[in-house]
Amino acid sequence: MSLLDLLRSLVFDHTIRTVALGTATLGVVSGALGAFAVLRRQSLLGDALSHAALPGVALAFMLTGLKTPIVLMLGAAFVGILAILLLEAVTRLTRLKEDSVLGIILSVFFGVGLLLLTFLQRNPDARQAGLNTFLFGQAATLLTRDVVTMAIFGGLALLVMAIFWKEFKLLSFDREFGGSLGFPMRALDIMLTSLLVVAVVIGLQAVGVVLMSAMVVAPAAAARQWTNRLGVMVALSALFGALAGVSGALISSLGSGLSTGPVIVLCISAIVLISVLLAPNRGLVWDKLRQRRNRRRLRGESVLLDFYRMSGQHSDALAPHPVAALLAINPQAEAVLERLAERGQVRRAAAGQWALTESGLAAARVLEEERLQKETD
Amino acid sequence: MSIAQIEIQLIAVVVAAACALPGVFLVLRGMAMMSDAISHTVLLGIVLSYFVVRTLDSPLLIFGAAAIGLLTVSLTELLNRTKLVKQDAAIGLVFPALFSIAVILISRFARGVHLDNDAVLLGELAFAPFDRISVLGLDLPHSLVVMAIILLINIAFIALFYKELKLATFDAGLAAALGFSPALIHYGLMALVSITAVGAFDAVGSILVVALMVTPAAAAYLLTDRLERMLGLSVLIGAGGAVGGYWLARANDANIAGSMATVIGLLFLLAFLFAPERGVVAIARRRGRQRWEFAQTMLAIHLLQHEGTPEAAVENRVDHLQEHLRWEPAFAQGVLRRAEAQEWVERDNGALSLTPQGRQAAQKALTR
């Protein structure tokens, strides 16, 4: 199938279009809200919240007997907020580190959820399958109705984020300052985390409990590499999330055994990898290049300076000089001299004999001046 | 109790104990979520080793899984060292990626093998006694033997490197200065976590491995300040949760692993609320006591300041406390009652005076 066919199916194939719309919605919402979580060093909160959703889903089903996503989502969100409050209380009142508390909440809530699920299994009309897809993710089961629900919930969450933008920004970067200005920082904290609960809950059906954490962390971690501005980061993060969602949905439609959730996660992981390597300024590749350029420049300068000092012992500073002495100081001096020659700072006078040029002499004098300046400082 | 029931409980206790030991160090070192990451990525190790040996019974699987566990740790550190992403984000990036690869490999190339998503995430202890192995002429459940070996390895590692682990956990700088390699200890510990996770996830599933590793250790941390006791308590809480969880599951015909996590979570909740010094109740009571003690000292200081001065007749009276110290009448009466009971203050027809004992207390508070 060519790329064109694939894109055509995005428009004309109803199932693929629905799935791609759903995963794109999820990507936008979790990407935007994940940016705050990552900046606030709460990357693993998404993981804990998605696991904590299990008992919520089970309870909602037990109480209502309905399997409609909106009911299950509400149950999951309710228990998710309960998990946040518990997390906040235990972290504040004990000496346990936050990651331990996250681990406890994640695993114990999940365990309780499993326990509740077994009660459901005994109920013959429960048909657990519906719940399982909700938890382990099966984007292929998304219906137009589900996508609309996701879009409404996600849109509301993004709207709240936009309304409280300034407050959330303050919360993320200087909580103490915000508190001193009289903002209710703890309430804002719980509110922002509750929005993350919404993002997690609408993602469960598409990517499942385990992989949801990647949808929170990865787009934001990738976006962070490209910018230092919060607004740009949130927008980029949402874009990366959507991109991964759509491409994941398309790729998984290509073959059997390519479940949407894992494919989306691999797509977003690839975006992270590219960002970490290639993003301007922060990217590792540019960093390495910069380091190499600096090393090269320093080596050139030091050879030029050595050469200048040696030639200073002659009456004529531009007279050719045997290179052997330089080689004793720096075995690679010859190669460095070649590079200096390309820049016109030295010239080869004869075999094994090099000489400074006028511009090289001038450059060396400036360098010497700088060195002396540094030593006297 | 039937033999099978005893065997299941024995396996549950051994799994819980094996998890609780390395869990103590994870909690103390602030690396609890690493157990979550490792318990998921060992799946990739199992799948890859399965492609090599083509069976799920080989001990090689454990080594393959442990290797991927260590790879998870080092990838996380590599990413963290670039300073481009923080530690917590690094964990959240690495393990979903490796887990996704594993899931896709299984569904593409290892269909029909008993290695599906649900089995990995959930585990089923109830079936453990059916898979048997003969050791030294004894007919034992396979997972009991595997987990007992892993438990012994954990005990041996911790006993052998106890001093080093303790030092590296509480004072990494000193450990490095004395010439112990913190990296070596760190990776040793992570190898333990990996083999324990892979051994345990067969029985309880990967997510509940986290419950068994982190929760008992965290509860124990609220109960004691000594490492030896914390290790012991953590094993006890884990084992208690295992047995309690088994009976809860049996009573409700429910998933054993989920019940174990539930009971251990309840035990943690008990520790959180009622731990002798660090529990919520103890904290609230301490705060309450401190409030009264502070008020009582305030009262003594107030009386001392005006003692023997002309205003004493006005200032050192019960009804004046409300005005001067801004105390509610009921609160002022309560403070007075306490001060009288401890013989700091004497009351004579509404006029208050300090006893020698009270005067001493006030002076001590002022010079402190």
Side-chain angles (χ1 to χ4, degrees):
Chain A
M1 199 189 270
S2 74
L3 191 65
L4 203 65
D5 288 336
L6 209 56
L7 290 177
R8 195 171 292 138
S9 69
L10 188 59
V11 181
F12 296 110
D13 184 314
H14 176 75
T15 316
I16 295 178
R17 193 178 59 212
T18 313
V19 171
L21 270 177
T23 52
T25 311
L26 153 70
V28 167
V29 179
S30 66
L33 291 164
F36 287 98
V38 166
L39 286 175
R40 299 174 65 211
R41 301 183 180 224
Q42 293 186 326
S43 301
L44 295 171
L45 199 59
D47 196 28
L49 290 176
S50 64
H51 286 80
L54 179 55
V57 170
L59 267 181
F61 181 68
M62 280 168 94
L63 292 178
T64 62
L66 296 170
K67 240 175 353 190
T68 23
I70 187 159
V71 172
L72 302 184
M73 278 184 195
L74 283 175
F78 178 75
V79 175
I81 289 170
L82 189 73
I84 293 173
L85 295 175
L86 209 56
L87 177 77
E88 204 258 349
V90 177
T91 317
R92 188 161 45 86
L93 291 172
T94 68
R95 56 175 173 174
L96 288 168
K97 300 194 176 80
E98 193 174 11
D99 78 313
S100 296
V101 187
L102 278 176
I104 294 170
I105 298 244
L106 176 157
S107 56
V108 171
F109 271 67
F110 191 81
V112 173
L114 278 187
L115 188 62
L116 293 178
L117 277 187
T118 45
F119 291 123
L120 296 181
Q121 258 162 348
R122 255 172 290 146
N123 180 348
D125 4 289
R127 278 208 305 281
Q128 233 213 323
L131 292 174
N132 265 345
T133 52
F134 196 83
L135 285 161
F136 299 110
Q138 202 146 45
T141 60
L142 283 177
L143 304 173
T144 312
R145 192 183 60 182
D146 303 336
V147 177
V148 170
T149 315
M150 288 167 74
I152 291 173
F153 274 90
L156 281 177
L158 292 183
L159 187 69
V160 174
M161 179 190 85
I163 292 172
F164 289 94
W165 178 264
K166 250 200 315 233
E167 285 81 356
F168 288 156
K169 192 173 180 176
L170 201 54
L171 179 69
S172 309
F173 292 108
D174 202 340
R175 192 189 169 123
E176 278 73 33
F177 180 58
S180 74
L181 288 180
F183 285 104
M185 296 319 267
R186 215 162 109 199
L188 283 170
D189 188 346
I190 291 173
M191 191 159 119
L192 182 53
T193 319
S194 306
L195 295 185
L196 191 65
V197 172
V198 176
V200 166
V201 165
I202 63 172
L204 286 181
Q205 196 180 358
V207 297
V209 166
V210 180
L211 298 177
M212 192 52 222
S213 70
M215 294 310 291
V216 172
V217 182
R224 175 68 188 91
Q225 311 310 324
W226 300 86
T227 175
N228 285 327
R229 302 192 57 83
L230 180 66
V232 182
M233 180 177 165
V234 168
L236 260 184
S237 183
L239 179 73
F240 287 155
L243 199 65
V246 173
S247 45
L250 283 181
I251 294 173
S252 71
S253 73
L254 288 176
S256 70
L258 293 173
S259 349
T260 320
V263 175
I264 294 177
V265 170
L266 289 184
C267 287
I268 192 65
S269 300
I271 296 178
V272 172
L273 198 64
I274 293 170
S275 305
V276 164
L277 290 177
L278 293 178
N281 292 328
R282 283 169 69 101
L284 289 180
V285 169
W286 309 133
D287 203 40
K288 273 270 164 332
L289 282 179
R290 219 168 13 237
Q291 273 178 21
R292 231 179 77 184
R293 234 183 359 247
N294 283 343
R295 247 199 320 267
R296 216 175 238 204
R297 190 173 54 81
L298 275 177
R299 259 203 309 263
E301 285 179 357
S302 86
V303 167
L304 187 67
L305 211 54
D306 289 340
F307 201 72
Y308 167 72
R309 282 173 183 164
M310 280 190 329
S311 57
Q313 289 158 4
H314 296 274
S315 51
D316 178 10
L318 297 179
H321 200 280
V323 78
L326 269 184
L327 284 175
I329 302 172
N330 179 354
Q332 273 120 47
E334 195 108 51
V336 180
L337 281 172
E338 302 274 3
R339 263 205 310 277
L340 289 175
E342 281 167 30
R343 277 194 268 155
Q345 295 184 319
V346 296
R347 65 189 170 82
R348 192 197 290 273
Q353 296 267 332
W354 290 76
L356 280 172
T357 63
E358 286 288 350
S359 85
L361 188 63
R365 280 191 178 133
V366 171
L367 282 176
E368 179 82 344
E369 196 73 17
E370 277 172 12
R371 286 277 157 104
L372 285 174
Q373 194 68 42
K374 239 178 242 162
E375 274 160 28
T376 49
D377 274 350
Chain B
M1 272 195 283
S2 72
I3 299 284
Q5 286 177 351
I6 294 173
E7 278 175 355
I8 291 176
Q9 288 180 66
L10 206 56
I11 296 170
V13 168
V14 173
V15 170
C19 288
L21 289 174
V24 166
F25 293 98
L26 289 177
V27 166
L28 289 175
R29 296 163 72 96
M31 310 202 37
M33 288 304 276
M34 206 49 129
S35 67
D36 183 41
I38 289 178
S39 69
H40 285 96
T41 56
V42 289
L43 179 63
L44 181 60
I46 291 179
V47 179
L48 292 178
S49 352
Y50 170 78
F51 287 145
V52 177
V53 294
R54 287 281 156 194
T55 162
L56 283 176
D57 300 322
S58 164
L60 209 88
L61 294 186
I62 291 192
F63 291 109
I68 297 289
L70 292 181
L71 179 75
T72 313
V73 177
S74 57
L75 277 180
T76 309
E77 277 166 10
L78 192 71
L79 207 53
N80 190 26
R81 254 205 313 274
T82 64
K83 305 238 169 75
L84 296 179
V85 286
K86 299 191 182 101
Q87 162 93 27
D88 60 328
I91 296 177
L93 289 171
V94 170
F95 92 82
L98 296 183
F99 188 75
S100 297
I101 296 175
V103 170
I104 290 177
L105 283 179
I106 291 175
S107 55
R108 291 285 286 182
F109 305 110
R111 249 182 229 217
V113 186
H114 175 69
L115 241 188
D116 52 279
N117 239 333
D118 300 21
V120 170
L121 290 174
L122 310 181
E124 190 43 270
L125 203 51
F127 301 143
F130 297 123
D131 182 11
R132 304 192 77 86
I133 187 174
S134 176
V135 181
L136 303 172
L138 288 170
D139 180 38
L140 296 168
H142 186 249
S143 50
L144 181 61
V145 175
V146 172
M147 283 316 295
I149 294 172
I150 290 174
L151 175 61
L152 288 178
I153 293 175
N154 286 353
I155 293 174
F157 181 88
I158 291 175
L160 233 59
F161 298 105
Y162 187 70
K163 260 197 319 242
E164 289 80 356
L165 275 169
K166 194 171 178 178
L167 196 57
T169 300
F170 292 106
D171 196 341
L174 179 63
L178 290 177
F180 301 114
S181 162
L184 207 63
I185 291 175
H186 176 62
Y187 274 90
L189 193 60
M190 289 302 142
L192 282 197
V193 172
S194 304
I195 58 169
T196 311
V198 66
F201 97 144
D202 222 18
V204 296
S206 63
I207 293 161
L208 296 174
V209 169
V210 181
L212 292 177
M213 282 197 180
V214 179
T215 316
Y221 191 39
L222 298 179
L223 296 170
T224 177
D225 282 338
R226 302 198 59 82
L227 182 58
E228 302 88 63
R229 262 186 230 153
M230 187 175 162
L231 284 163
L233 273 174
S234 161
V235 169
L236 270 183
I237 294 169
V243 175
Y246 173 76
W247 287 103
L248 176 68
R250 215 180 125 63
N252 295 296
D253 187 21
N255 176 293
I256 297 177
S259 307
M260 280 166 66
T262 306
V263 173
I264 292 179
L266 286 177
L267 292 177
F268 174 82
L269 196 66
L270 285 180
F272 171 59
L273 293 176
F274 303 114
E277 275 171 50
R278 308 188 183 283
V280 171
V281 172
I283 292 172
R285 284 182 55 179
R286 193 163 51 233
R287 292 218 176 120
R289 206 175 52 233
Q290 281 166 347
R291 182 165 162 253
W292 287 112
E293 277 168 7
F294 180 73
Q296 196 180 321
T297 312
M298 284 274 290
L299 172 66
I301 290 172
H302 173 77
L303 295 180
L304 183 70
Q305 287 299 334
H306 299 290
E307 202 172 41
T309 64
E311 313 85 72
V314 187
E315 291 281 349
N316 291 3
R317 290 188 67 81
V318 181
D319 32 8
H320 193 74
L321 291 178
Q322 276 149 257
E323 196 182 311
H324 193 104
L325 294 173
R326 299 194 186 285
W327 284 349
E328 298 286 318
F331 184 70
Q333 289 301 333
V335 175
L336 259 181
R337 254 202 317 281
R338 267 155 221 269
E340 275 178 316
Q342 289 193 14
E343 296 183 0
W344 282 22
V345 172
E346 278 167 350
R347 195 180 336 203
D348 178 24
N349 205 7
L352 299 171
S353 61
L354 283 169
T355 63
Q357 211 182 331
R359 197 168 300 122
Q360 213 179 352
Q363 275 157 353
K364 204 173 120 208
L366 279 174
T367 51
R368 194 162 45 199

